[in-house]
């Protein structure tokens, strides 16, 4: 079984990666392959067009009616169809099934045309150079697995074998020519496998680094205890959402110092976690962050200004409904006081985002102070 797995990985290096990663790697390399084959198509078409012009200048219109000329004209047309039809995917997400079909079809035809032209050339007319340069170019310039190379090369190689059997004057019968074809084909396959394996390792390593960077960025934005966003995330979220209206809430756990003194700091941490999770999972569009200690700041994106007061009251009630025991509080359970500010001002100037946010937080904090002065376990809207 282990041997079979090794064979599969040799034929298809993508098998070494899990399905989602393998698909992304295929699409990433296909972006490059599409562009690279376009370059091959343009260069090959230019060379074939130049040869057709030379044939015409040498023999007139009859120079364009030979089998070789017809194949070269077909080659140019096929290249044109590929360049126009394959599109230009700029990212792995943009790669569709159409790109795969056009790419594999055009690559196979490129080598097949080279084989057909080589097959119709007699000893006096030319050499195997055309096939050799194409198979080596495909093997070294495109990212293809061993299995893909075998599938692409097989039809063209079969044409060359048949030309030996049924064409007495084939240039492949000249001593060494067919040996060169076999050696070049094998060399191209080995080159392709080596290049692909190296490229896949490089891409996989790069993706791992990017994933780790993304994970670190995610962790940097989280509060270490409650696992909800922190103040850093609050600032970036505010900057990224220049909405017409929003509410900013300053939420403070009532008598939290007494809670710690009564139950200990470990139990206090559990209380913070429960409150944080309740706030962060409450159904509204916005963000809840731990601002510091037992304080939380919540930004709520508003669609309707009239709904904000009932929503803030519902948030306060949701904490009380947790029924976290708090003997050192007159309410008997953990409660919160909330001060909030509402703005309808559209933010046009983003140069002083931090200052504006701090101003809103200060206003919400003033409203919170009033709520606590009025007896706690209540909400208070900031008013000028």
């Amino acid at each position: 079984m282990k041997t079979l797995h090794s064979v599969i990985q040799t034929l298809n290096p993508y098998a070494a990666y899990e399905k989602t990663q393998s698909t992304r790697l295929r699409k990433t390399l296909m972006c490059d392959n599409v562009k690279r084959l376009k370059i091959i198509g343009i260069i090959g078409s230019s060379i074939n067009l130049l040869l057709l012009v030379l044939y015409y200048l040498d023999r007139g219109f009859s120079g364009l009616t030979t089998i070789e000329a017809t194949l070269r004209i077909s080659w140019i047309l096929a290249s044109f169809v590929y360049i126009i039809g394959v599109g230009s995917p700029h990212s792995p997400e943009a790669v569709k099934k159409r790109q795969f079909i056009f790419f594999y079809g055009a690559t196979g035809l490129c080598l097949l045309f080279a084989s057909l032209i080589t097959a119709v050339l007699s000893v006096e007319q030319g050499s195997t150079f055309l096939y050799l340069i194409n198979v080596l170019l495909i093997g070294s310039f495109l990212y293809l697995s061993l299995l893909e190379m075998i599938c692409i090369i097989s039809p063209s190689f079969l044409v060359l074998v048949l030309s030996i059997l049924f064409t007495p004057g084939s240039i492949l019968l000249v001593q060494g020519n067919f040996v060169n074809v076999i050696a070049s084909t094998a060399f191209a396959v080995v080159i392709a496998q080596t290049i692909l394996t190296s490229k896949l390792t490089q891409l996989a390593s790069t993706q791992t680094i990017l994933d780790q960077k993304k994970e670190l960025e995610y962790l940097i934005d989280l509060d270490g205890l409650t696992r909800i966003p922190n103040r850093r995330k609050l600032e970036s979220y505010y900057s990224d959402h220049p909405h017409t209206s929003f509410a900013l809430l300053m939420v403070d756990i009532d008598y939290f110092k007494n809670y710690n003194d009564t139950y200990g700091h470990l139990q206090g941490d559990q209380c913070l976690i429960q409150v944080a999770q309740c706030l962060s999972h409450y159904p509204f569009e916005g963000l809840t962050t731990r601002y510091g200690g037992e304080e939380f700041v919540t930004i709520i994106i508003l669609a309707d200004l009239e709904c904000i007061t009932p929503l803030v009251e519902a948030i306060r009630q949701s904490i009380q409904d947790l029924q976290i025991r708090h003997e050192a509080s007159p309410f008997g359970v953990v409660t919160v006081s909330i001060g909030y500010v509402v703005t309808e001002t559209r933010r046009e100037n983003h140069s002083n985002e931090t200052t504006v946010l701090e101003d809103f937080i200060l206003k919400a904090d003033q409203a919170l102070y009033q709520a606590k002065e009025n007896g706690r376990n209540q909400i208070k809207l900031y008013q000028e």
Side-chain angles (χ1 to χ4, degrees):
M1 193 69 182
K2 187 176 181 180
T3 303
L4 178 61
H5 183 69
S6 299
V7 171
I8 293 174
Q9 286 194 8
T10 300
L11 291 172
N12 179 24
Y14 295 102
Y17 304 92
E18 58 95 16
K19 187 175 180 181
T20 303
Q21 187 180 18
S22 174
T23 300
R24 181 170 182 80
L25 288 172
R26 283 181 180 276
K27 290 186 175 183
T28 300
L29 292 183
M30 184 53 64
C31 287
D32 279 345
N33 279 337
V34 166
K35 298 173 186 176
R36 289 166 179 251
L37 190 58
K38 281 185 178 182
I39 295 173
I40 293 176
I42 293 172
I43 295 175
S45 297
S46 300
I47 294 173
N48 282 314
L49 185 60
L50 178 60
L51 288 172
L52 289 172
V53 171
L54 293 175
Y55 293 163
Y56 177 78
L57 293 176
D58 182 44
R59 287 175 283 176
F61 184 74
S62 61
L64 303 179
T65 58
T66 63
I67 297 177
E68 179 192 347
T70 302
L71 289 173
R72 293 189 183 278
I73 293 173
S74 300
W75 194 339
I76 294 173
L77 293 176
S79 298
F80 180 77
V81 170
Y82 167 76
I83 293 170
I84 298 300
V86 74
S88 300
H90 299 293
S91 66
E93 292 74 19
V95 175
K96 306 298 180 185
K97 188 176 181 180
R98 174 168 61 96
Q99 273 80 36
F100 283 93
I101 294 175
F102 268 89
F103 171 75
Y104 290 122
T107 306
L109 281 176
C110 176
L111 205 52
L112 184 60
F113 279 127
S115 296
L116 289 171
I117 292 174
T118 300
V120 300
L121 294 176
S122 65
V123 176
E124 292 79 15
Q125 288 179 298
S127 69
T128 57
F129 175 78
L130 184 61
Y131 172 82
L132 300 183
I133 193 64
N134 274 276
V135 73
L136 290 172
L137 188 60
I138 287 173
S140 59
F141 196 56
L142 302 178
Y143 298 114
L144 295 167
S145 67
L146 176 60
L147 184 60
E148 290 169 335
M149 284 292 288
I150 291 173
C151 292
I152 289 171
I153 290 173
S154 294
S156 56
F157 196 76
L158 180 61
V159 168
L160 296 177
V161 172
L162 291 175
S163 70
I164 294 176
L165 297 176
F166 299 104
T167 309
S170 172
I171 60 172
L172 294 167
L173 291 174
V174 177
Q175 185 178 10
N177 273 356
F178 193 62
V179 174
N180 289 338
V181 167
I182 295 175
S184 299
T185 301
F187 189 50
V189 170
V190 172
I191 290 176
Q193 183 76 357
T194 303
I195 292 176
L196 178 62
T197 302
S198 176
K199 185 65 174 181
L200 287 176
T201 302
Q202 176 189 344
L203 288 176
S205 299
T206 302
Q207 188 60 48
T208 299
I209 293 173
L210 291 175
D211 290 342
Q212 291 174 345
K213 180 182 177 183
K214 187 175 181 180
E215 179 66 18
L216 285 174
E217 290 175 347
Y218 173 74
L219 293 175
I220 288 172
D221 286 337
L222 286 185
D223 175 62
L225 174 64
T226 61
R227 310 304 290 176
I228 67 171
N230 55 23
R231 291 175 65 170
R232 180 178 181 275
K233 181 62 176 178
L234 173 67
E235 294 174 0
S236 63
Y237 184 87
Y238 177 80
S239 300
D240 293 340
H241 293 77
H243 294 273
T244 301
S245 58
F246 66 93
L248 187 144
L249 285 59
M250 178 70 79
V251 183
D252 183 82
I253 300 177
D254 296 326
Y255 305 104
F256 187 70
K257 182 179 182 303
N258 295 345
Y259 187 94
N260 275 334
D261 292 341
T262 303
Y263 301 101
H265 288 283
L266 289 179
Q267 191 62 35
D269 288 346
Q270 290 303 310
C271 175
L272 285 172
I273 292 172
Q274 287 180 270
V275 172
Q277 292 303 312
C278 182
L279 290 172
S280 64
H281 287 90
Y282 202 88
F284 59 79
E285 182 184 358
L287 178 76
T288 293
T289 65
R290 186 183 181 193
Y291 193 69
E294 68 272 24
E295 290 184 326
F296 303 88
V297 170
T298 295
I299 290 181
I300 300 177
I301 306 303
L302 297 178
D304 181 6
L305 289 175
E306 295 181 359
C307 73
I308 184 59
T309 298
L311 177 58
V312 176
E313 174 58 28
I315 292 173
R316 183 205 63 77
Q317 186 63 47
S318 70
I319 303 300
Q320 187 170 338
D321 290 344
L322 292 174
Q323 292 295 298
I324 303 173
R325 187 181 178 185
H326 190 351
E327 295 178 349
S329 167
F331 306 107
V333 295
V334 170
T335 59
V336 295
S337 299
I338 303 176
Y340 64 105
V341 60
V342 177
T343 175
E344 298 180 74
T345 305
R346 181 182 294 275
R347 289 175 277 148
E348 301 291 351
N349 183 11
H350 299 269
S351 61
N352 59 344
E353 290 282 347
T354 302
T355 303
V356 174
L357 176 60
E358 290 175 351
D359 182 56
F360 286 132
I361 292 175
L362 179 61
K363 291 177 179 179
D365 192 51
Q366 292 175 7
L368 172 64
Y369 178 79
Q370 293 178 10
K372 294 168 73 172
E373 282 291 302
N374 293 341
R376 292 182 170 84
N377 192 23
Q378 59 185 271
I379 65 173
K380 183 67 178 178
L381 172 64
Y382 173 83
Q383 293 177 331
E384 297 287 352

